[in-house]
Structures are given as structure tokens and as C-alpha cells.
Amino acid sequence: RLVIIIGAVLLGCAFAATTGQRTSLTEGGMAAWFESMKPHLVAELENTQLPDVEGWMQSPIGNITYQMTNIVVVTMDLGDMTATALPDTQDFQLDIKHANMKATLSWAYQDQSWPHSKDSGTADCTFTEMTLLIKEVIKRNDDLVPELIVEECVVDIGDLDLKLHGGASWLYDIMVKIFKGPVIRQIDQTMVGSLKAAVEIAVNIELSKWHRYMPMPDNMTVEDRGLSEDIAFGQHWLSFAMSGVVYPADDTDTPWPVAPGKLPYILNDHDLQVFIDMIQINSDLDAHFRAGSFHAVIPPSAAGAHGALFEVDTWAEAAPTLGKNYAGKQIQFRFDVLQAPAATLFPA
């Protein structure tokens, strides 16, 4: 759902610092935004190698040490996503529930008592009912564009199923029941670093498409999308404040002389809300004026059904000198706008 509000003042809303355009997302919009990035996040997690897991335990055959190495994520199924804005800390939390992951690994164990029996093999493992809690913040970087930083991750694996191959796997099946809990806890901890890196890479790939100056469709002008203030987090929403000023493509240094009005952070419960100040509309008109788009020459070849208007003889009575000196000739029209147009909005 999208609502676009154009204006300088909306009563009954929480108002922001001076800016020309504001884009806000409710928590539903935030979840939908991250949902759209699932393929990128899955691509970063799949084929990731997790840190090795090792430890010791009391088993039916005595005290043993065990290792799980070459743990590689094969497939990742991210479940349901919800987002929560945290205004007190000015960040937000992404909750992923019912996630599942499949991985392969190598295993080995050795009895610590004589005769020090040992064995090894490979395994397919399935992690189910995973919960991933990711606390994140979006910062305004030096280029005035957003950048995501993961502050904290928590991984909770609901269950682990191991299918062992090679060696005395029947014996290891017995041991899995004993040390599955400790292994799950260690995987919980070791996966945090991989998840943090994957989220930052996936999200920042998308945010890298946010350029300070965004070309407009006509390629004559650019819009300043630079963040005019830090990203704001409120009760159930986040908001990006942008300059919103439009410039000629070859002149982004000339400042816009009119200060914009204040725009609200949020208006209702729509997922995506865009607020535009008159500065954006009028700077767009001014930029196109300075870029020459309001000046036009219309030649006879463009006359179409109005060809008679381009014949000098048509104007001979109204302009005798023209008719006398250029009889039988054609003319072209040139239109010049001498001052940048300005727009004013009125309530319906």
C-alpha cells in the first residue's frame, strides 16, 4: 500500500526536521522490504562454511573427544519475517522464525582411554525450527546515503537431525542423542558471525543502488537523494529524510534559495508513505528551466494538420511587411520561457 502526500504542513502529525522529501515505512513495510531481499540473503548464506565444532563428552564407550569440521551450508530456507522499530535505541530488530537449514560436515571421535579407539566419516544435517534475531541500525554515511550495520545476532536452533555416513555410524547415532544439545549450542554461537556478515552484505548491496544524485527520466536533471538527517525510528516506523531538491544534471553546486517546510514522519498505517514538499516540485521546474527544456523550436516539418500556420502567406494580412518580403516562404516558431515557472497547490 502506498500513500503520497504533497504539501508543506499536515496538522495532527509528528513533524520532522526541515527536508524536501521524506519516505517512511511502517513495521509492515519494513518486513516487506526485507522479504524482498530474501533471495540475496539466502545466496550469501548458502555455501558458507561455518567454524568447526569440537568438544568432549561421556559416552557409552567412555570419555571421548569429537570434532565436526568442514560444516558447509547447502540450502537455507528463511521462514517468516517480522520487523520491530526500537525508538529508544534508534535501531530495529528483524525476527526470522521457522527457518530451516541443511548442511554437510565431516565428523570424527577418539576415546581418551586405552586402546584409544577412534572413527570418522561424513554427515548430512538438517537444522529445523530455527529462530534468528538480528538487531540492526541504518546509518547515514559520509556520502549522505544509508548503510546498514548489524549490531547483534542471536541464533536459536530448534532441532538437529544428523544422517551419518562411514565408520561406526551406528555408534555415533547413539552418541548424537547425548551430545546433540551441546552441538546445537555451539552451532548457535558459531553461526552468529556468518549471519551478521551475510545480512550486511545482502542489504548493503541493495542500499548501494541509492545514489546521492539520481538521474531523472529525461536525463536533463538529477534529484538530490542525499539524507538531510539521520534515519529516524519511531513507534512502529522508520523514516528517511532527503534533500529532494532537483538540479540540472550539469550543475548540482548552485544552492536552492528557498527553505522547505516541515514534513511529517508518518500519517497512517500504510506500509509505504512518501511526503513531498513544494521545494521538490518548484526546484524541478527551475532545474528544467535552467536546463533549457522549456525553450522549443517548432519547424514546418512538425506542423501536421496545422501546416497553414507555417506559411508566410497566412500571416500576410496581419503582417504586410512579412508577407511582402517573404511571400511563398515558410516560417518556424521559437518559444522562449523568460522566467522559471512555479507551482502552487490548493486544497481540493
Side-chain angles (χ1 to χ4, degrees), residues 3 32 63 101 109 128 202 256 274 277 345:
V3 58
N63 292 327
M101 180 178 75
Y109 83 91
T128 57
W256 180 255
V274 180
D277 188 90
L345 294 182

Side-chain angles (χ1 to χ4, degrees), residues 290-312:
R290 289 157 58 194
S293 62
F294 290 114
H295 307 302
V297 175
I298 305 177
S301 59
H306 305 286
L309 294 177
F310 293 80
E311 301 294 334
V312 169

Side-chain angles (χ1 to χ4, degrees), residues 46 180 187 265 308 341:
E46 289 183 346
K180 184 167 69 172
I187 292 290
Y265 287 108

Side-chain angles (χ1 to χ4, degrees), residues 62-296:
N63 292 327
I64 66 168
T65 57
Y66 62 87
Q67 299 86 36
M68 290 185 175
T69 59
N70 300 318
I71 307 171
V72 178
V73 178
V74 178
T75 62
M76 188 78 191
D77 176 23
L78 295 175
D80 305 322
M81 285 187 175
T82 58
T84 304
L86 305 172
D88 290 343
T89 51
Q90 285 297 290
D91 51 16
F92 69 100
Q93 181 170 297
L94 186 67
D95 296 354
I96 302 175
K97 296 182 178 179
H98 310 301
N100 300 301
M101 180 178 75
K102 293 184 178 180
T104 58
L105 55 85
S106 300
W107 60 267
Y109 83 91
Q110 180 172 347
D111 190 348
Q112 296 304 294
S113 303
W114 190 87
H116 302 294
S117 59
K118 60 183 180 180
D119 210 339
S120 62
T122 60
D124 298 318
C125 51
T126 302
F127 303 89
T128 57
E129 287 302 309
M130 298 173 63
T131 299
L132 314 176
L133 305 179
I134 309 163
K135 191 175 182 183
E136 306 160 79
V137 64
I138 303 177
K139 295 284 190 180
R140 175 178 56 167
N141 66 19
D142 293 340
D143 295 323
L144 302 184
V145 294
E147 180 179 353
L148 181 132
I149 300 171
V150 176
E151 299 175 308
E152 183 181 352
C153 284
V154 176
V155 178
D156 180 32
I157 298 172
D159 199 7
L160 167 64
D161 179 49
L162 282 172
K163 302 294 183 184
L164 299 142
H165 315 290
S169 57
W170 60 269
L171 178 60
Y172 223 56
D173 283 337
I174 296 174
M175 293 187 291
V176 162
K177 297 179 181 179
I178 301 173
F179 65 65
K180 184 167 69 172
V183 171
I184 286 177
R185 285 194 293 272
Q186 290 188 59
I187 292 290
D188 283 345
Q189 296 171 5
T190 58
M191 191 178 171
V192 165
S194 299
L195 179 62
K196 178 180 183 294
V199 171
E200 287 187 348
I201 292 172
V203 177
N204 284 321
I205 285 175
E206 289 301 300
L207 289 178
S208 68
K209 299 174 184 177
W210 183 318
H211 301 292
R212 167 71 187 276
Y213 295 105
M214 299 291 289
M216 303 295 275
D218 58 13
N219 291 320
M220 298 181 68
T221 57
V222 294
E223 180 186 346
D224 185 356
R225 295 279 180 87
L227 295 171
S228 55
E229 59 186 62
D230 291 334
I231 292 86
F233 293 87
Q235 198 69 30
H236 310 303
W237 52 262
L238 71 77
S239 185
F240 300 94
M242 291 163 277
S243 166
V245 174
V246 180
Y247 296 96
D250 59 354
D251 180 14
T252 57
D253 295 326
T254 303
W256 180 255
V258 180
K262 292 183 178 181
L263 294 172
Y265 287 108
I266 203 79
L267 183 65
N268 49 41
D269 62 351
H270 288 195
D271 291 347
L272 172 63
Q273 302 179 39
V274 180
F275 304 95
I276 300 173
D277 188 90
M278 287 301 300
I279 186 177
Q280 187 171 57
I281 298 173
N282 283 323
S283 66
D284 189 3
L285 293 171
D286 179 77
H288 280 88
F289 169 74
R290 289 157 58 194
S293 62
F294 290 114
H295 307 302

